[in-house]
Amino acid sequence: MKKSEKIEASARNKPAKPERKRKPAKLRAWEKDYPDYKLWDSQRWAWEFLRRNTDFIGDCKSIKGRNSSQQEQAICDKYGISFFKHYSEIDGPFPEFINKVINSWRNEDEKERKVEINLKHGQMLILFNVYQTLETSFELRAQIKSATEALEKYRDNLIESLEKSPGADEQPPKRRSSSPMHYLRHLKVIDSRNEDVPVPWADIAKLVFNEKIKVDEKIKGRELTNIEITQKYYKTLVASLEKPKDYRSIAINTLKVGLGRRLWENKLHKKKLNAKLERLKTLKAAKAASLNEEAAQATKPNQN
């Protein structure tokens, strides 16, 4: 046996090494301020940013007098949340976000009013003739029914186009930059700057970008000064302070990804199910052929 063949044979005979299980990453010290953040869904993340929104905080503080329930409902409508919750309340339950996607324009003048609208993909414009409904409510119900049918048909077309999108079989939709750690860094920056004595930018960067700073220091062969750290991460840190204004997009974007992922999973499930049915069909045909062959052998006359 040649030497190369011996090496190949010994390699084949060696037992396979067990796969190493990755150890869960240790919590950073500052992560312990948000102990259950890995369990938060998109609705909870959106709420955490909303309760840090300065406009929302101001509206909560402005609630006074006997008509507090009306003021609370107005806040719910303004920010699109399912029920009112004060920004200072930490414990659940937490409100869900209602996607306000309907805009309306009306003309109360006798003259025609020109409206220019740019429709994005997934949007649909429906024109109601309210004037025709003044004599009878039947006309209003008929228009609403027609609009509902048109919306449902367009929705079905969108779902069908997603299912038929090229490459949808191979892999699920890629998630956007919306990992728990990505959002958590934003919260830490906001909370650090909102303290009674704001934490310096360099100290915040050392917390949330500790690993990156260590890499930079290793490359330079020395410790970075606070000025260097601030100059490098200042724009990124300041951008976090604007994140509470995007609370709605956090929920909406994740829901979009969720829809695409569900469609992909359904398609993959159908593909596996069809493959299983084909295998059963093949086995059934083979069994039927075997039974037919046995029956044919049994019916042959005995040559003896």
Side-chain angles (χ1 to χ4, degrees):
M1 185 181 289
K2 293 181 180 180
K3 187 176 181 181
S4 60
E5 292 177 351
K6 288 182 180 180
I7 294 172
E8 289 179 4
S10 61
R12 286 195 298 270
N13 295 331
K14 283 184 179 180
K17 293 182 179 180
E19 293 184 3
R20 292 182 179 180
K21 294 183 178 179
R22 290 184 177 181
K23 295 181 180 180
K26 292 182 179 180
L27 282 177
R28 300 168 180 84
W30 62 270
E31 287 182 59
K32 295 177 182 178
D33 296 335
Y34 316 87
D36 59 343
Y37 78 91
K38 291 185 178 180
L39 304 177
W40 295 355
D41 59 8
S42 60
Q43 297 288 319
R44 175 65 186 278
W45 280 111
W47 165 250
E48 290 298 332
F49 283 104
L50 175 61
R51 62 183 293 263
R52 291 166 171 82
N53 183 303
T54 53
D55 293 336
F56 181 72
I57 293 172
D59 288 339
C60 289
K61 290 181 177 180
S62 68
I63 297 176
K64 294 176 182 178
R66 296 179 180 178
N67 61 341
S68 60
S69 59
Q70 295 179 3
Q71 295 176 58
E72 290 175 358
Q73 184 58 50
I75 292 174
C76 291
D77 296 338
K78 179 178 178 180
Y79 295 96
I81 50 180
S82 56
F83 62 87
F84 177 77
K85 188 177 181 67
H86 199 272
Y87 79 93
S88 61
E89 296 180 31
I90 300 175
D91 299 326
F94 304 99
E96 293 187 357
F97 287 80
I98 303 166
N99 299 332
K100 186 180 178 182
V101 294
I102 296 179
N103 294 316
S104 62
W105 299 265
R106 59 187 180 182
N107 187 7
E108 297 178 351
D109 300 328
E110 294 184 1
K111 296 180 180 180
E112 289 187 0
R113 178 187 172 195
K114 186 178 180 181
V115 178
E116 293 184 2
I117 299 170
N118 296 322
L119 287 179
K120 297 179 180 178
H121 179 67
Q123 294 180 336
M124 185 176 186
L125 181 63
I126 298 177
L127 178 66
F128 286 93
N129 193 331
V130 184
Y131 190 80
Q132 291 182 357
T133 69
L134 299 182
E135 294 184 2
T136 171
S137 60
F138 173 77
E139 176 66 26
L140 178 61
R141 291 197 297 271
Q143 289 189 34
I144 293 174
K145 181 182 178 182
S146 178
T148 302
E149 291 174 352
L151 284 168
E152 289 177 346
K153 184 177 180 180
Y154 183 46
R155 180 179 179 274
D156 292 339
N157 292 339
L158 285 174
I159 292 175
E160 187 178 354
S161 65
L162 279 172
E163 289 177 339
K164 291 182 178 179
S165 59
D169 292 340
E170 288 80 18
Q171 57 185 359
K174 293 182 179 180
R175 289 190 175 273
R176 300 177 185 181
S177 183
S178 57
S179 66
M181 180 51 61
H182 174 78
Y183 285 146
L184 194 66
R185 285 195 181 102
H186 289 307
L187 292 186
K188 186 58 181 177
V189 174
I190 296 165
D191 293 343
S192 298
R193 293 300 295 179
N194 286 341
E195 291 184 9
D196 295 335
V197 179
V199 179
W201 292 113
D203 292 343
I204 299 174
K206 290 175 184 178
L207 287 175
V208 298
F209 297 116
N210 181 261
E211 292 84 358
K212 292 182 179 180
I213 291 173
K214 283 184 177 179
V215 171
D216 290 340
E217 290 178 338
K218 189 175 182 180
I219 294 172
K220 290 182 177 293
R222 61 175 177 81
E223 289 188 3
L224 297 180
T225 65
N226 288 344
I227 295 176
E228 289 175 319
I229 293 171
T230 302
Q231 287 176 342
K232 181 169 184 178
Y233 294 101
Y234 178 74
K235 289 184 178 179
T236 305
L237 295 171
V238 170
S240 296
L241 302 182
E242 298 295 315
K243 199 64 180 177
K245 296 179 181 179
D246 298 332
Y247 65 92
R248 192 183 295 277
S249 65
I250 293 171
I252 293 175
N253 287 340
T254 310
L255 288 173
K256 285 182 180 177
V257 174
L259 172 62
R261 182 170 286 272
R262 285 198 300 274
L263 289 172
W264 174 81
E265 288 174 349
N266 290 340
K267 203 165 186 178
L268 184 63
H269 175 71
K270 288 179 182 178
K271 192 174 180 180
K272 289 181 178 178
L273 184 61
N274 288 335
K276 190 174 183 180
L277 290 173
E278 285 296 325
R279 287 196 298 270
L280 291 173
K281 189 176 179 180
T282 304
L283 290 172
K284 188 176 180 180
K287 188 174 182 180
S290 177
L291 290 174
N292 290 336
E293 188 178 350
E294 289 178 3
Q297 292 289 341
T299 55
K300 283 184 179 180
N302 193 348
Q303 295 179 357
N304 296 329

